[in-house]
Structure formats: structure tokens, C-alpha cells
Amino acid sequence: MDRPVHLTNIFDPVSTPAQAILELSWLVLWICAGIFVIVVVLLTYILIRFRRRRADTDEPPQVYGSNQIELAWTVIPLLTVVVLFLVTARTIRAVQNVVPSAEALHVTIVGHQWWWEIRYPTLGIVTANEVHVPVSDRARPQPTFLRLESVDVAHSFWVPRLAGKTDVIPNRDNYMWIEPFEVGLYLGQCAEYCGTQHANMLLRVMVHTRDDFERWVTAQQQPPVRDLSVQAGRDLFQATACVNCHTVRETVANGTFGPDLSHLMSRGTLGAGVVDNTPHNLQAWMQNPQHLKPGNLMPDMKLTPQELEHIVAYLATLK
Amino acid sequence: MAFAESPLAQPQAETPRLPLLVQLHDWVVTVDHKRLGIMYICTGLLFFAVAGLEASIMRWQLAFPNHDVVSPAVFNRLFTMHGTTMVFLVGMPLILGLANYLIPLMIGARDLAFPRLNAFGFWLSLFGGALLYFSYLGGEGLTGAGTAPDVGWFAYAPLTERAFSRGHSTDYWILSLLVGGIGSVATSINIVTTVVCMRCQGMTLARMPLFVWMLLVVAGMILLIMPPLTAAQIMLLLDRYLGARFFDTQAGGSALLWQHFFWIFGHPEVYVLMLPGFAAASEIIPVFSRKPMFGYAAMVGATLAIAFIGMGVWAHHMFTVGMSTMANTFFAASTMLIAVPTGIKIFNWLATMYGGKIRFATPMLFCTGFLFQFLCAGLTGIMLAAPPFDWQLSDSYFVVAHFHYVLIGGLLFTIFAAIYYWFPKATGKMLSETLGQWHFWLLVIGFNLTFGPQHIAGILGMPRRIYTYAPGRGWELWNLLSSVGVAFQALAVLCFVWNVIRALRQGPPAGDDPWDAWTLEWTTTSPPPEYNFETLPEVQSRRPLWDLKHPHDPDWHHE
């Protein structure tokens, strides 16, 4: 990749719907630029040409209107609007009326205050804040269809280089699709105000080659790593209230309020993008969850330093 | 013509100064439309300072990535209060204040139709605003969660439900808007009645100043849009306190229902705020171009068209909520259609200036700024009207830039134009041209520096309402420029404040008609007496003073 991976520029699409939107956007932009130039030139000319010269106190000729001219600047804009509307309507249909093909991947995105739950219902995978999808190519199109749900308030799923945003609304299922044609990491974030930590709901979409995607799926489908050297931490984890909100598969931890931790260390960030996911940051996060992301809904578990060390050691093995 | 011989044209005898307490008492008990108008405008300007301060803190927070000036909770309260204040406590009082002060003078009436209702409306608006700001003290409530409201100015459900918004801060938001809304409806009824029933002899609807026409349309719109907002507020109160489930999604309620209710108020509200700006420009541009308004009938028609179409575009705020293809297409069409009457207005203003002898006094300068900036606002509006483009731009900083170009670059500039234009009438003193020019140029620089770069931040993927952002997203420069612009805007406002204080203390006397203008308010003294006109005027054209000044070529030969 020669371009920086972090840019979220809508003028740099790498996915079919974002590309379709950009093509329409250029047309709209050019029409608007044309109108802008015409009006600004006219206005500037009038301001300079018809400014009052000093000591000129005569009134200019009084003109009250002209039906022909007024008709002209009603009809011409009207025709422009009709053209603009027809092209827009075509793009709306092209992006919105797409039916999933047989080979399409289905992913369910669930908005939470203030993180994203990512579910692959056909693959049996649950993760958080990172969407992994295979790349598409013209010979073998591989779109991904997203079903958007919310468990609490309204959010909005927006990864500018892949597609326009779609709101994630409780008690309503929304759908959108992406079809990325370049491998890489694409960022986005929640675009509908959803409360205190609206700013820290980062979305990371990893577009893999098909082989890499298969490898990722296989890894995620494995049961969590069982490392006997951290048995103490594992026991402690299962004995605290952590398990009420978090899931680690094949343990007593089956909460669904917080992110699934079965493969915690396979993810890049903590707290939906506030810090990199390292054992050090994990310890800082657990020591005082309100410090790194004030207002987030994870309570301070009041762990002793020793307990903390054990649990972090255990979680750090969940690759 | 009756007003020509009016003895009121002579300066009034100096009256002895009353004690301060008596003067204040007079202001509190007044039912005079001019005093209420001035109080509305002062209320609007006071809240403008407060909301501007809130915005400055937000810009300081966002000037640098990961900047830590205020906590996330405080930031969220700041943008909620900033937006709510600017729309309901700055925009509404300013436009209602101008309407209050000018309409009776322009149609040759002695007051509004219901002076006491007028006072009632003003005090409701003021106390509604006070109630909103009292939330800083009282919002915490018994269950303890935050102080001022933090749900955003359009308060999307279900964030406003008790599960997500504890304490009383949201209740203050609901109740203060409810109270202020009743005030706006009262004043609108008053404006409609006054314009329909109290025009002077000879002033047919077709001879009304465009300002009055547009404010009549605005008052009609307020009467149509306030009820849905009020209904939604009451439904939300029922949800919060009596266990209703209108918007409670966890009990089967609908989040979208709120959005429909809010925007069927909220979008026409934009035109309610913007049309008075057009109204002021339609009075000021002709006077300083020394020509009558080009295409009077088309201007009235375009105003009615904007109002009518404007009632059917609300869901363009909801292109991203997953509406059907049909709904998206319909609202794209209606929204784009608005561009046509708006375009007619812009071209008519240009045609008015074309062939004129334009004098760049401060009011005209502000109107020129308005024309440039409102053009930008209109064009970004067309971009947002195309749903696919909107799927990218909605809820990003591009939208923030767009509506600030509408409401600051468009509305606020025309409000300042109006204040510079009618201040001499209201006070009898002239504002300083030098300070006015400073005010204008600093505001043009500051405004464009603040909101221009926000278009780019939005295109680069920056969502609105975030209290912080990480470095490396390409947003740093645009945010820094945006924050620097605030300093220029603050200086501009200081120039204005100083200009007003200075003019009130030592401004040169204005005389009755300092701008050589044409409408009825310039026939009476500055400031006008309590009864406005000694004998009610009689008009024969749209520009009664032109007829008077040019008896050989009066307007009624041409209309």
C-alpha cells in the first residue's frame, strides 16, 4: 500500500458503493461549481461596475422587473434541477436496490454505547470493533452485506472509503453493503451522536485476500487458548463479576453486555480505538476503566495489584 | 399625503430624565411593540454572546488532537446548549424582535393587534431561555446525572429516555422549549392578525414592503410547525414520567417517530430563521442600490414557494436512517426543488443592484457578505440534497459548515445589516461607519476561516459532535484554522458592542431618514413616538417616500 492507511477521505473510495457515490458527487460538484462561478463573476462585476462614484447624487433609472428575464432564471435552474434529480435517482437505486448474491458474506453489526459488536452468524464468530472481510475482484465479486442493529441508542456505521453511512437504530434493522477491491485497513467511526463517548467508537475494517480471510476465520473459530501457566488468572477471572458482561467461550463467562474476549489479543485496539491493545494498556484499562475512556460503562472491579496481574496475564494469552 | 405635514417631523422637546427604577419599571410593564422589539433583540444578542462563548470553548478543545480542555460530558453539554441557544434563544428572538419593531411602522399602524399578548409572548420566550440555563443549577435532580442537557439540540430518541438520560437535564430542555414555543405561537398570531387587519389606507397586499410579506409568511409557518414540536415534547414527557412508550425502543417504541416529529418542525424552522434575513436584505439592497426591488411579485411568489415546498422536505435530514428508495427519491426531489425559488431571489437581488448606484455603507456591506456566503450555503445544500452524497456527508463536519454558512453567513450577516440599518431609527443615533467596517471585515475573515475549513474536515471523514480526535487522520490543520477564526469573530463582535455603546453615548443624531429610504418607518421621528404616527399615513405605491421625493415620477405610474 503506497497510500497512508488511516485516511478517511470520501474522495478516495475503494469499494463499489463508495465509488458509485463519488461518481455522482463529482457531477453534483461540477454543476455547483459552474453555478458558483457564474454568480460570483456576475456579483463581483455588479459590485465594481455599479458602485456609486463620489458626488454622483442623481438617482439611477428605476427598473421594476422583467417577466422574460425572470422566466429565464426560473426555467434554467428548473431544468438543471431535473437533470440533477434524474442522475441522483439512478444512483439511489444502484446503491440501495442491491440484493445479496449467493456468495455474499453476511455480517451483523450491533451498536453499543460505546463499542461495536461484530457477529458472523453463518461462521459462528463474535468479535468487537474490527470487521474482517475478503477482498472482491471483478472476476469473482465478493460483496459483504451488513445488518445493522442497536441494543441501546442510535448510532451510525460510517467507513467513508467503503460506503456511505447508515444509521444503526434500536428496534429497527437496517442494511447496507460494501465490496472492497483493495486489501488494507480502513477506518471509520460512529457518526450519530450516542452519548458521552460518541467520539471513541472507532471502526476498523480489515480487507484481506481470500486466503488470509480464510485463515482469520479458522483462527477465530478455534476455542480460546487454554494456557495452564495462567490458570490462576483464569480462575480469578471466572470468579469475579467480569463474567456477567463478557464472554470467553468454553468458560462460565457468558455475558453479552461487553465485548467478547475469546480472542481478545487478536484485535488491534482497546476501548473501541482509544489505545493500542497491549498487555500494558490492558492493565491500565482494567486498573481504572474511567481513566482512558471517561464515562464508559465498564465499572472499576477494585482488583488488588496481584489479582490484576494474574487476570491480565490470563487475558493476554487469548490470542 | 397625510404624513407629509405631520408635526412629528420636528425634533421632540427634551423630556426630563426619569429615575432609573421608574425607567426599568416602564420597560417591564410596557406593551409598546417598539420596546418589546428592542427587548427581544437585546435578549437575542445576550444569548448570542453566551452561545458564542460555548462555541469558543468547544473550538479551543478541538484546536489540537487529543486536547484536554473539558471533559467529554462537559463538551456534550456545550454543543447541546450552543445549538439549542442559537436556534431558540438567538435566532427566534432576533427575528421576532425585528418583526415586532418594524411591522407596525412599515404598515402604518400604531401597534400590533394584541399588545398585551405581545408582551406575554416576549416574557414567555425570555423565561423559557432562563429555564434552559437554570438547568446548569437544577438539572442534576435527585438521581444525579449531569447538569445541563447533553442530548444534542435535536435530542434524538431514545437517548432522551430515562434509561439513558437520568436526572432532570432533559426535562429542562423539553420544558424550556415548550414555554418558548408558546411565546412564538402567541407572537405569530399577533403578526398575522396585525398584517391582515391593520394596514394603513391604500396599503394593499401588493403594496406591502417585502419585509412585511416575508414576515407574514414566517408567522404563518411558525403556526404550522410549532404544534408538531410541542406534541413531540409532550409525548417525550409522557414517556419519561408516565410510562408511555412513544419513543422507548426497548418497549416497542419508535426512534424514527421522534425524528419525523422533530424535523417536520426543524426543517421549516430553518426557513423561519432564514426568510427574515431575506426580508431585511430585500429592504436594504434596494435602498443602497437606489433602485426598487427587481421583480416584487416574483419575490413574493418565491417566498410562498419556499414556505410551501419547505413543509415537504423534512426527511432529507433522515437520508441515512434506512428509508425506502421511494422516500429517499421523493425527498431528494422536493429538496432540490427549493433551489429554484431560492435562486430566483438571489438573481432578483443581483438584478436590483445591476444598473444601480451602490453605496457601500455598513448595512450594504453586510448584505454583500450575505450574498456571497449564502450562495456557498445554497450550493452545499444542493450537494446534501442528493441522498448518495448525503450518505457520505451527513452528520460530518461538512454539515456543520453548511448550516453555519446558512445561519451565520446568511442569517447573522443580514441581522447585522438590519441592526446597522434600523438602529438610527430605533435610537435616533448613527452608528460609526469606521467601526462598522472593522466589524464587517473581521467577521468576514473570522467566519470564513472558522467554517470554510470545516467543509474539508467533513470530506476527510470527521463526524460532528466528537469531543476529541486522534492525530494522523488529516484533520489537525483544518481544526486549528477553524479555531483561529474564532478569535477574529470575537474581535468583530467586540467592535460591534463598542460601536453600539459609543453611538448610544455620543453618536451623531440620525434624523428621520438617514439613508434616503422609501418605506413608512422613515416618515416618523427617530426614535418614533409611542403612537408611531400622529395621523395614520396613506400610501399609493410600494415606496411612499419615493413618491413624496419624486412627485413628477411617482411609483404608482409603474406598478
Side-chain angles (χ1 to χ4, degrees):
Chain A
M1 287 274 299
D2 48 357
R3 296 199 196 95
V5 292
H6 46 254
L7 289 182
T8 41
N9 186 347
I10 66 168
F11 283 94
D12 194 7
V14 290
S15 160
T16 312
Q19 183 70 44
I21 291 173
L22 183 63
E23 279 158 19
L24 173 72
S25 304
W26 275 121
L27 179 83
V28 179
L29 271 177
W30 279 115
I31 291 177
C32 288
I35 300 171
F36 181 78
V37 169
I38 293 170
V39 178
V40 167
V41 167
L42 202 62
L43 179 54
T44 313
Y45 170 77
I46 290 170
L47 290 175
I48 295 168
R49 170 72 181 74
F50 295 107
R51 70 189 189 283
R52 189 178 69 165
R53 309 298 199 278
R54 233 169 258 286
D56 179 359
T57 52
D58 293 346
E59 300 282 17
Q62 302 294 297
V63 180
Y64 298 83
S66 152
N67 287 339
Q68 290 87 340
I69 297 178
E70 287 169 58
L71 196 64
W73 62 53
T74 308
V75 172
I76 296 172
L78 196 60
L79 293 177
T80 317
V81 161
V82 169
V83 172
L84 206 56
F85 166 71
L86 291 175
V87 183
T88 301
R90 195 180 60 182
T91 309
I92 293 175
R93 298 181 70 83
V95 176
Q96 225 181 326
N97 288 2
V98 172
V99 183
S101 50
E103 64 272 20
L105 174 68
H106 289 269
V107 181
T108 302
I109 312 280
V110 186
H112 290 253
Q113 279 185 324
W114 294 283
W115 60 282
W116 303 94
E117 179 183 342
I118 318 287
R119 310 181 76 99
Y120 293 73
T122 49
L123 302 173
I125 297 171
V126 181
T127 180
N129 303 320
E130 283 179 11
V131 188
H132 293 255
V133 296
V135 74
S136 180
D137 59 58
R138 295 208 198 297
R140 274 174 64 204
Q142 173 63 74
T144 299
F145 279 77
L146 308 177
R147 174 192 166 113
L148 307 172
E149 300 172 2
S150 169
V151 297
D152 38 46
V153 300
H155 305 275
S156 189
F157 185 95
W158 188 29
V159 184
R161 294 183 66 192
L162 299 183
K165 64 182 71 62
T166 305
D167 291 354
V168 179
I169 298 170
N171 205 10
R172 176 187 176 90
D173 293 344
N174 272 339
Y175 298 88
M176 63 179 280
W177 62 289
I178 56 176
E179 193 185 28
F181 40 73
E182 264 182 46
V183 170
L185 165 66
Y186 303 104
L187 296 188
Q189 63 192 92
C190 178
E192 184 65 77
Y193 175 63
C194 54
T196 315
Q197 277 294 346
H198 165 57
N200 283 313
M201 270 184 82
L202 191 72
L203 273 161
R204 290 154 53 86
V205 180
M206 315 277 223
V207 179
H208 299 288
T209 61
R210 281 167 202 239
D211 292 345
D212 283 352
F213 180 69
E214 288 307 324
R215 267 193 286 282
W216 177 81
V217 168
T218 314
Q220 293 288 314
Q221 283 172 334
Q222 298 300 311
V225 174
R226 184 85 190 261
D227 185 342
L228 289 175
S229 68
V230 293
Q231 187 64 34
R234 187 170 187 268
D235 292 343
L236 254 173
F237 177 80
Q238 296 196 70
T240 61
C242 305
V243 297
N244 294 337
C245 295
H246 293 285
T247 295
V248 176
R249 293 209 309 268
E250 300 189 0
T251 71
V252 297
N254 62 358
T256 54
F257 197 65
D260 186 304
L261 303 178
S262 303
H263 295 281
L264 170 66
M265 297 318 280
S266 72
R267 304 201 280 261
T269 67
L270 279 175
V274 284
V275 282
D276 288 341
N277 186 8
T278 63
H280 176 77
N281 284 338
L282 186 59
Q283 181 158 356
W285 173 270
M286 287 173 58
Q287 196 160 24
N288 182 1
Q290 295 305 314
H291 176 68
L292 287 171
K293 190 171 175 176
N296 88 77
L297 299 181
M298 174 156 157
D300 185 348
M301 298 310 293
K302 312 275 186 216
L303 300 169
T304 64
Q306 203 179 6
E307 287 169 335
L308 184 67
E309 207 170 304
H310 280 305
I311 293 181
V312 170
Y314 162 63
L315 292 177
T317 63
L318 299 176
K319 296 253 177 356
Chain B
M1 268 165 287
F3 56 77
E5 297 84 32
S6 161
L8 293 169
Q10 273 114 53
Q12 287 175 301
E14 197 72 27
T15 46
R17 263 183 108 78
L18 294 165
L20 186 66
L21 207 61
V22 176
Q23 284 189 45
L24 280 177
H25 179 260
D26 282 352
W27 280 95
V28 172
V29 299
T30 189
V31 292
D32 176 7
H33 75 98
K34 295 181 292 300
R35 289 192 154 201
L36 286 164
I38 290 170
M39 287 199 287
Y40 261 121
I41 290 170
C42 291
T43 305
L45 291 174
L46 181 76
F47 278 117
F48 174 70
V50 174
L53 200 66
E54 286 158 353
S56 310
I57 300 171
M58 287 191 281
R59 280 316 323 167
W60 180 229
Q61 163 83 6
L62 292 174
F64 306 101
N66 291 335
H67 207 197
D68 192 14
V69 178
V70 291
S71 72
V74 169
F75 187 89
N76 296 342
R77 283 172 208 142
L78 284 173
F79 70 65
T80 303
M81 292 298 271
H82 169 79
T84 308
T85 307
M86 282 296 191
V87 171
F88 294 96
L89 306 178
V90 178
M92 292 301 269
L94 284 176
I95 64 156
L96 293 179
L98 286 174
N100 240 291
Y101 194 93
L102 292 169
I103 287 176
L105 287 169
M106 282 186 162
I107 63 172
R110 296 208 190 281
D111 204 323
L112 287 175
F114 311 114
R116 281 170 193 277
L117 183 67
N118 194 20
F120 175 72
F122 166 73
W123 291 105
L124 274 186
S125 303
L126 182 67
F127 281 110
L131 189 61
L132 181 68
Y133 273 84
F134 184 74
S135 66
Y136 274 108
L137 303 175
E140 200 157 350
L142 292 175
T143 43
T147 56
D150 59 354
V151 290
W153 86 273
F154 41 78
Y156 270 7
L159 194 60
T160 46
E161 293 288 332
R162 282 181 79 79
F164 304 106
S165 171
R166 287 171 295 138
H168 293 313
S169 61
T170 301
D171 304 320
Y172 277 92
W173 182 84
I174 297 170
L175 290 171
S176 63
L177 298 198
L178 210 59
V179 170
I182 295 170
S184 305
V185 168
T187 304
S188 299
I189 292 172
N190 218 338
I191 290 172
V192 173
T193 315
T194 307
V195 174
V196 171
C197 302
M198 295 175 69
R199 279 167 287 133
C200 69
Q201 197 71 36
M203 186 171 283
T204 58
L205 284 178
R207 287 183 192 156
M208 277 200 316
L210 280 172
F211 184 92
V212 180
W213 252 116
M214 295 192 197
L215 265 298
L216 173 65
V217 173
V218 163
M221 290 181 83
I222 292 176
L223 293 181
L224 288 176
I225 65 173
M226 276 298 168
L229 177 68
T230 305
Q233 306 278 30
I234 288 173
M235 288 156 85
L236 185 55
L237 273 181
L238 292 179
D239 270 14
R240 285 176 63 83
Y241 286 100
L242 293 175
R245 271 84 194 256
F246 294 108
F247 312 118
D248 183 356
T249 48
Q250 288 174 332
S254 165
L256 286 193
L257 182 65
W258 171 270
Q259 298 192 15
H260 281 294
F261 265 106
F262 190 86
W263 290 119
I264 206 164
F265 151 79
H267 198 80
E269 169 73 7
V270 176
Y271 298 112
V272 163
L273 293 174
M274 208 49 238
L275 284 174
F278 295 168
S282 303
E283 294 301 322
I284 295 167
I285 290 174
V287 167
F288 288 91
S289 306
R290 309 306 307 156
K291 282 178 63 204
M293 188 66 218
F294 188 93
Y296 173 94
M299 287 302 268
V300 174
T303 305
L304 291 169
I306 287 176
F308 183 75
I309 306 170
M311 290 290 177
V313 301
W314 76 92
H316 68 212
H317 293 265
M318 300 163 60
F319 282 148
T320 60
V321 303
M323 286 192 298
S324 68
T325 317
M326 193 58 214
N328 280 335
T329 313
F330 173 83
F331 285 103
S334 61
T335 306
M336 286 178 180
L337 211 52
I338 288 258
V340 178
T342 314
I344 292 174
K345 289 199 169 196
I346 291 188
F347 285 121
N348 278 353
W349 287 318
L350 292 184
T352 305
M353 292 155 71
Y354 187 92
K357 292 179 178 175
I358 304 168
R359 209 185 122 209
F360 290 104
T362 313
M364 187 63 190
L365 273 183
F366 274 99
C367 284
T368 314
F370 151 76
L371 285 175
F372 274 108
Q373 287 152 187
F374 186 71
L375 174 67
C376 299
L379 293 174
T380 52
I382 292 178
M383 298 175 200
L384 292 166
F389 210 171
D390 184 81
W391 293 333
Q392 287 286 17
L393 297 175
S394 175
D395 274 314
S396 78
Y397 257 83
F398 191 91
V399 169
V400 177
H402 162 73
F403 67 70
H404 282 93
Y405 265 75
V406 176
L407 291 176
I408 307 293
L411 177 63
L412 187 72
F413 270 66
T414 48
I415 293 277
F416 277 132
I419 290 175
Y420 276 91
Y421 183 65
W422 280 294
F423 183 90
K425 177 50 62 184
T427 63
K429 306 282 180 64
M430 294 300 284
L431 287 161
S432 150
E433 275 294 308
T434 318
L435 279 170
Q437 305 236 346
W438 275 98
H439 174 197
F440 171 73
W441 287 109
L442 283 170
L443 196 60
V444 166
I445 295 170
F447 162 75
N448 286 289
L449 191 57
T450 302
F451 298 107
Q454 293 184 359
H455 290 108
I456 302 173
I459 284 170
L460 294 178
M462 180 164 169
R464 66 194 285 201
R465 297 177 161 179
I466 54 173
Y467 75 94
T468 191
Y469 54 94
R473 301 283 290 272
W475 303 341
E476 292 93 330
L477 174 67
W478 313 111
N479 276 287
L480 183 59
L481 287 177
S482 190
S483 298
V484 170
V486 172
F488 288 88
Q489 295 196 65
L491 281 177
V493 171
L494 286 180
C495 284
F496 170 69
V497 172
W498 175 235
N499 202 351
V500 169
I501 293 173
R502 200 166 156 272
L504 287 177
R505 289 170 61 181
Q506 58 188 65
D512 294 354
D513 182 15
W515 308 115
D516 195 3
W518 302 312
T519 38
L520 284 179
E521 73 271 27
W522 306 104
T523 62
T524 184
T525 52
S526 306
E530 214 166 325
Y531 40 88
N532 291 352
F533 306 96
E534 170 120 317
T535 48
L536 288 179
E538 197 183 324
V539 300
Q540 280 160 303
S541 78
R542 289 172 203 144
R543 297 192 296 170
L545 259 77
W546 172 272
D547 301 341
L548 196 66
K549 292 166 187 170
H550 302 85
H552 305 298
D553 185 25
D555 259 5
W556 68 75
H557 287 168
H558 305 281
E559 278 171 8

